[in-house]
Amino acid sequence: MLLVLVVVAVGLLWPLLGFNSSTEAASDPVSVSQYTGDFTVAADGSMGATETLVAKFPGGRHGIFRFFDTSDLSNAKIRRVPTIVSITRDGVPEPYTTSWESNERYLVAKIGNPNVFVTPGNHTYVITYSVPGVISPIDAGSNKTFPSTAGENASTPPESTFYWNVVAPGWQLPMAAVTVHVTLPNASQQVQCVAGTGVSGAVSPGPCTIAGAGTTKLTFTSSNMPPLSGMTVRANMAPPPPANQPGLVTLPWPVAWDPILGQSLPLVILIIVAAVILFVLGAWWAAKTKEEDPGFPVMYESPPGLGPVQTVYMATEDVGEYPFNATLFYMAEKKLVTLQARPDKSWLITSQATAEQWAATDPVTEAAADALEISTGVGYWFMAEYKSKTAGEIMGAATTAVSAAARRWAIDSGNVKSVASERWAKVIWALALVLAIGGFVGWAGPTMLGLPFAAFVIGGVGLMQKGVGTRRTPAGRQLWSRCGGFQRLLSTDSAQDRFDFAANKDLFISFIPYAVAFGVADKWAAKYRTQTNSEPPSPYWYPYGLGYAAWYSTPGGFSDFNSTITSSIGAYESSQSSSGGGGFSSGMG
């Protein structure tokens, strides 16, 4: 669960982890010979702006970009989203599209037709837009260094200031001449300015000229501004900022959190509430799919007529980790096949049963024999070659056939039934997982949009556990009780589960395939040692060459046989092909 929470946290917070590259100075072949900015600030703090650029284009360019920084220069909790009114080129409306970049801090206007090149030469762009809430408290920008200052503050300290990038530092175009006109709602007092300059190819702050200090109309000029430098002004005014500036957004979190939380506090609250509700819903739904244990009395024999895989399936609604191994041992114990070990770690599996005898076995055993092509009659055989891709393909298919046969038998026998509501629950869980990933990636907005779906996935993780989608019938629950009781006998060593091994030595051997199927061969052997103070007897059907302890040293037991199976299946799966390397033989001996 801790790992899941870490994954969710990374999915939610990754925009803060530095995956987004910062904007760096770039050389653009388009240059600006004259930039003129006209900014009019109203008493309510709103501002209308018009930027006029005379740009010289080389060939092969579609247009220009305008980056609008929505963050506040002095308060990271304030957002100012501009409204573009119009954009023209040479007096004619120019097409543009907008998008967000750099963790949704910059609104980017892509100006131009992507299918049409701008003709080489000079072109005049006029960009008109409005911005809310540009009048700031007097402390805004007070810690910034300004090379140019004009005018003085009055004896009564001013209470507000216009602190603004009048030439955005996001422009990637060099500007030869810059002129900015600012009209304020109140007379200015102290006015300051800094403009970017280029020294030996580096961008550094420099002076700019100031005209009109002490009035409502200010003019700022500069020249030879390099890309991504900009011009910032600070003009103090006597009145305090307007109490409520229309359109100004103030949030509890800084702008760096916008890609995670967005720009709406009510939306964040709604998402958190939705996440809690969906987590509870997922947990409730998962709990509804669980079947109440029927109680497991100790059973001193396997349920009549059930092979190992069927027994495991009724106890756990899963085929276990060793369904193929257990089925082969069950065949050997029932004298349907013989197992012969070869010096090269290969195993020869030979049928000792007629076609009629195979047909009379349980569906799981018959499915395994059919997959190995040994169910035709006595003498048919299969060679499980060590690390053989081809043999691995056959045994992998046999494992799949065994698993499918067990599930099909459970339904056909009336012990298990399909539950549509649980199957739909699994589909909804998978869909929630996809939506959670999509939300965290940012397909539809802030990463927090993925949180409610992730909460459902976490709360409802039990919906994807084995057995969900099917449910045992009343008859199946009775069989579950007996199979679970038999599992308890094989896997526990409590005094009340004691088994009379001395009187039932043959039963110990016959139960081995079931212990392998449950993955408790080591515990079944340990139980024998504990209660008899001796090593377990050797199965007559297993050709051994190792000490007794090695037979049961792993949960599945019989590690040498399991090694051949897993190595061959692994060789096939790694090759992703049924061709090449090794082989199997099947036919009449």
Side-chain angles (χ1 to χ4, degrees), residues 55-116:
K56 184 177 182 180
F57 276 76
R61 306 295 293 181
H62 296 283
I64 59 176
F65 290 89
R66 171 62 165 99
F67 286 75
F68 295 93
D69 190 349
T70 63
S71 65
D72 185 87
L73 293 176
S74 59
N75 188 341
K77 297 182 179 181
I78 290 178
R79 316 288 188 276
R80 296 186 179 91
V81 180
T83 300
I84 298 176
V85 178
S86 65
I87 299 178
T88 65
R89 176 167 63 89
D90 299 330
V92 178
E94 183 76 346
Y96 66 91
T97 58
T98 59
S99 61
W100 290 93
E101 290 188 11
S102 297
N103 288 352
E104 299 191 18
R105 172 177 174 175
Y106 293 98
L107 177 66
V108 182
K110 184 179 180 180
I111 305 169
N113 188 331
N115 300 316
V116 177

Side-chain angles (χ1 to χ4, degrees), residues 262-518:
Q263 296 183 348
S264 171
L265 180 59
L267 178 61
V268 170
I269 295 174
L270 178 63
I271 290 175
I272 292 175
V273 172
V276 173
I277 293 174
L278 287 179
F279 176 83
V280 173
L281 175 62
W284 172 82
W285 206 344
K288 291 285 287 183
T289 64
K290 294 182 178 179
E291 297 183 66
E292 184 179 355
D293 291 348
F296 303 116
V298 178
M299 303 294 295
Y300 292 97
E301 63 178 354
S302 61
L306 297 192
V309 178
Q310 292 165 296
T311 304
V312 169
Y313 190 81
M314 289 309 303
T316 65
E317 284 196 274
D318 190 41
V319 296
E321 188 176 354
Y322 310 97
F324 181 61
N325 302 35
T327 301
L328 285 179
F329 291 158
Y330 182 68
M331 291 178 180
E333 202 279 327
K334 294 295 183 183
K335 300 182 179 179
L336 297 171
V337 299
T338 58
L339 305 177
Q340 182 179 355
R342 296 298 180 90
D344 62 353
K345 295 186 179 182
S346 298
W347 284 77
L348 178 64
I349 303 164
T350 306
S351 170
Q352 300 299 312
T354 65
E356 291 76 14
Q357 288 174 315
W358 281 116
T361 60
D362 64 85
V364 176
T365 302
E366 185 179 11
D370 288 343
L372 298 180
E373 299 183 7
I374 60 172
S375 61
T376 306
V378 177
Y380 282 82
W381 49 270
F382 174 82
M383 180 66 75
E385 294 189 47
Y386 184 66
K387 292 186 177 181
S388 164
K389 298 176 185 177
T390 311
E393 180 184 10
I394 296 296
M395 289 189 287
T399 302
T400 301
V402 164
S403 302
R407 293 182 172 91
R408 187 168 53 251
W409 163 82
I411 295 288
D412 294 344
S413 64
N415 290 305
V416 172
K417 65 179 180 179
S418 177
V419 182
S421 62
E422 293 184 8
R423 292 187 179 277
W424 276 110
K426 297 174 73 172
V427 171
I428 293 173
W429 187 93
L431 178 61
L433 177 62
V434 173
L435 292 175
I437 294 173
F440 288 150
V441 171
W443 286 349
T447 59
M448 196 176 186
L449 292 177
L451 188 59
F453 304 106
F456 179 83
V457 168
I458 295 173
V461 68
L463 294 172
M464 301 308 291
Q465 292 182 354
K466 60 186 179 183
V468 176
T470 58
R471 188 172 288 268
R472 298 173 182 87
T473 63
R477 287 183 60 82
Q478 293 181 12
L479 191 56
W480 176 16
S481 176
R482 285 183 285 165
C483 292
F486 185 54
Q487 178 186 14
R488 177 180 172 184
L489 172 73
L490 298 174
S491 59
T492 62
D493 57 2
S494 62
Q496 64 183 32
D497 298 340
R498 295 185 66 85
F499 184 77
D500 188 358
F501 289 106
N504 298 283
K505 184 176 181 180
D506 291 340
L507 285 182
F508 171 83
I509 295 175
S510 67
F511 290 170
I512 288 175
Y514 294 88
V516 171
F518 277 112

Side-chain angles (χ1 to χ4, degrees), residues 533-549:
N533 198 28
S534 62
E535 284 296 328
S538 60
Y540 64 88
W541 39 261
Y542 187 76
Y544 58 91
L546 301 175
Y548 291 151

